[in-house]
Amino acid sequence: MSHVADEVPLTLEGEPPKTLGLLDQGALWANLGVSLLGFSGALFLINPLGDAPLSLLAALTAALVGSLIGTAMVGLAAVPGTQTGQPAMVLLRGLFGARLSYIPTVLNIVQMVGWGAFELWVIAMGASAIFGSAVPYAVWVIVAGVITTALSIWPLGAVRVLRRYVTIAVIIAMIWFSVDFLGTARPETGGSWAAFAPAVDYVIALSVSWVPLAADFARHSRSSTAAFGGVVGGYTLAQVACLGLGVYAVAIAGSAAVTADSTAVFGPFVAAPLGALFFAVLVLRETDQSFANVYSTTVSLQNLMPRVDRRVFSTVVGVLTIGIALVVDVTSYGAFLGVIGAVFVPMFAVLAVDYFVLGGVARWNTEEGAPARWSMLVPWVLGFAAYWLTTSTPTVEAWDAWWAAVRDAIGFTRQPWMNGALGAALVAALVTLAVGAVTRSRRRHGHDQRVAG
Ligand SMILES: Nc1nc2[nH]cnc2c(=O)[nH]1
């Protein structure tokens, strides 16, 4: 069924090739960890509350701790993909049953298309920072969208290109900018650790946005160790480097300027000696992010329509993300994308506990007729609620006020060290264990009655 040797089969029915080793996974995830969006994100890392800047050491420690916690979750979501050979949304058939898995699948498609469009926007803004206004925004969006679509049609080839050529070019560019920025700037840091927990919170949120697509690539891993190690090692190293560089870039550009316009952070990169050249490497490489999103949308659509050629989906989704990036103000999508973790983090915590702890690995049913498992919705919904009870990320006023009222009603006080993603994962995991214990004791009781009768 495969149209190219060692490529992903065209429909869900083909056997996925297991060709990605630790270096391939590490290269993929290291490239996903360096993001043009991450440079301006350093603003929130250094001063997440707006009035208590961290010291440089505190900020870098928060970047490391938050990345390790976040990527541990992404890594756990990846391993069942390696073991079953199934993409992320198909894995959810084993958790909820085939029909119920369509609900998170549709949500995932909406968020991945949003991320894809957001990435095309940031690529176009990065290119405009290099070339000025001579080339219109729309042209860059279309060029980036076409590259993204091509990469999505040859996904394993794309990962190989990342490993062989792109990673080394990105490392050189990052070192180049580090040497230049360290010589030019003093980071705008304070001396405090007071906002350490909110800074970790922010970095966890950056990392866990990748939870829903981890298995889409891990299904091609040679081993679970390669998948888990590639995610945690590659992404953590790269994200800490990206945020660290961002701290200096924000200092050079001025935090007020970056607060007013996040793309102002690109200025210091372009202004560095040979900066346009090395920044072009980072901008071109950003297509790995839009590719990951478009490809993940493609395989998610195959959970709904398993026999449709994935190249058709990739082309349609590629065109759709181009269209959205051209006509919608994608930055308004940003807030929605930041909080979608509330849906997927508890869901994958339920999956991890059911799969690894409650023996799911031996009975995981990813068939098209997998029966519904309504009981698994309970820990998911409670984990979702726990996210909103514990998070300090503001969203829209009415929604935040509603959750503040719930907190009051149940007498729960949110502490500054609490984290939405961790709270959601913990509650979802514990409730899954409880549901598992009840189900097991019911089954045993039924068995005893049958034996007695
Ligand atoms: N899923 C996803 N998460 C992200 N986090 C930062 N950028 C992205 C992206 O493009 N997709």
Side-chain angles (χ1 to χ4, degrees):
M1 196 68 202
S2 179
H3 64 303
V4 175
D6 290 341
E7 254 312 344
V8 180
L10 298 180
T11 69
L12 215 47
E13 289 166 344
E15 194 60 29
K18 300 260 188 199
T19 50
L20 303 183
L22 180 64
L23 278 182
D24 299 291
Q25 288 285 351
L28 169 68
W29 285 96
N31 277 287
L32 294 179
V34 178
S35 166
L36 296 182
L37 297 168
F39 294 133
S40 56
L43 205 57
F44 302 102
L45 170 71
I46 280 290
N47 197 0
L49 302 179
D51 57 1
L54 296 177
S55 68
L56 185 60
L57 178 65
L60 292 180
T61 310
L64 182 64
V65 171
S67 298
L68 285 174
I69 296 173
T71 54
M73 293 196 222
V74 183
L76 278 180
V79 171
T82 308
Q83 294 182 341
T84 61
Q86 298 294 349
M89 294 302 120
V90 179
L91 273 177
L92 293 175
R93 293 180 185 175
L95 186 64
F96 296 126
R99 284 292 162 88
L100 282 181
S101 79
Y102 294 170
I103 301 170
T105 301
V106 170
L107 277 174
N108 194 44
I109 289 167
V110 172
Q111 75 139 346
M112 287 297 161
V113 167
W115 273 120
F118 205 30
E119 289 293 346
L120 293 188
W121 169 80
V122 79
I123 292 167
M125 297 309 281
S128 301
I130 301 172
F131 293 98
S133 54
V135 182
Y137 167 83
V139 172
W140 291 124
V141 167
I142 293 168
V143 169
V146 169
I147 297 174
T148 299
T149 309
L151 293 172
S152 307
I153 288 174
W154 289 281
L156 294 181
V159 175
R160 271 189 290 273
V161 171
L162 285 177
R163 173 171 65 78
R164 287 196 194 142
Y165 310 107
V166 179
T167 310
I168 185 67
V170 170
I171 290 173
I172 293 171
M174 295 286 283
I175 292 175
W176 183 266
F177 288 123
S178 303
V179 171
D180 183 60
F181 291 178
L182 259 64
T184 341
R186 277 169 49 83
E188 291 176 13
T189 51
S192 151
W193 284 70
F196 180 72
V200 171
D201 182 288
Y202 169 68
V203 179
I204 293 177
L206 273 187
S207 322
V208 295
S209 62
W210 297 103
V211 158
L213 59 68
D216 296 339
F217 293 95
R219 69 190 283 237
H220 302 291
S221 253
R222 288 192 206 127
S223 70
S224 303
T225 316
F228 189 86
V231 171
V232 176
Y235 191 91
T236 297
L237 273 176
Q239 183 159 269
V240 172
C242 173
L243 288 170
L245 194 57
V247 167
Y248 284 87
V250 168
I252 300 172
S255 49
V258 181
T259 308
D261 170 11
S262 63
T263 61
V265 80
F266 301 156
F269 287 89
V270 179
L274 292 182
L277 176 70
F278 286 111
F279 193 57
V281 169
L282 298 185
V283 172
L284 185 61
R285 180 223 48 90
E286 190 80 6
T287 51
D288 68 340
Q289 319 244 346
S290 42
F291 144 67
N293 295 307
V294 169
Y295 178 65
S296 186
T297 314
T298 299
V299 281
S300 298
L301 280 163
Q302 282 191 317
N303 185 38
L304 307 178
M305 291 167 267
R307 279 166 283 279
V308 175
D309 186 324
R310 63 177 176 75
R311 295 171 298 187
V312 175
F313 282 146
S314 288
T315 308
V316 171
V317 175
V319 171
L320 182 66
T321 48
I322 291 174
I324 294 174
L326 288 180
V327 299
V328 179
D329 170 17
V330 286
T331 48
S332 60
Y333 226 127
F336 163 70
L337 296 174
V339 297
I340 192 98
V343 172
F344 287 99
V345 168
M347 184 189 301
F348 276 88
V350 178
L351 184 143
V353 170
D354 191 39
Y355 186 88
F356 293 112
V357 185
L358 299 177
V361 61
R363 58 160 161 76
W364 211 250
N365 182 353
T366 56
E367 302 290 323
E368 276 177 59
R373 298 179 69 214
W374 293 94
S375 64
M376 289 293 110
L377 293 178
V378 177
W380 177 25
V381 170
L382 292 178
F384 176 81
Y387 182 98
W388 293 107
L389 291 174
T390 50
T391 188
S392 42
T393 309
T395 59
V396 284
E397 216 170 285
W399 182 251
D400 293 343
W402 195 80
W403 284 101
V406 175
R407 258 182 242 120
D408 283 346
I410 62 173
F412 176 78
T413 311
R414 184 179 60 200
Q415 304 295 334
W417 48 265
M418 286 181 178
N419 173 274
L422 272 185
L426 199 64
V427 168
L430 291 175
V431 178
T432 310
L433 284 175
V435 170
V438 171
T439 317
R440 222 173 316 154
S441 97
R442 276 229 200 110
R443 220 178 284 138
R444 203 169 311 133
H445 187 64
H447 173 78
D448 290 350
Q449 278 188 335
R450 273 196 304 280
V451 171

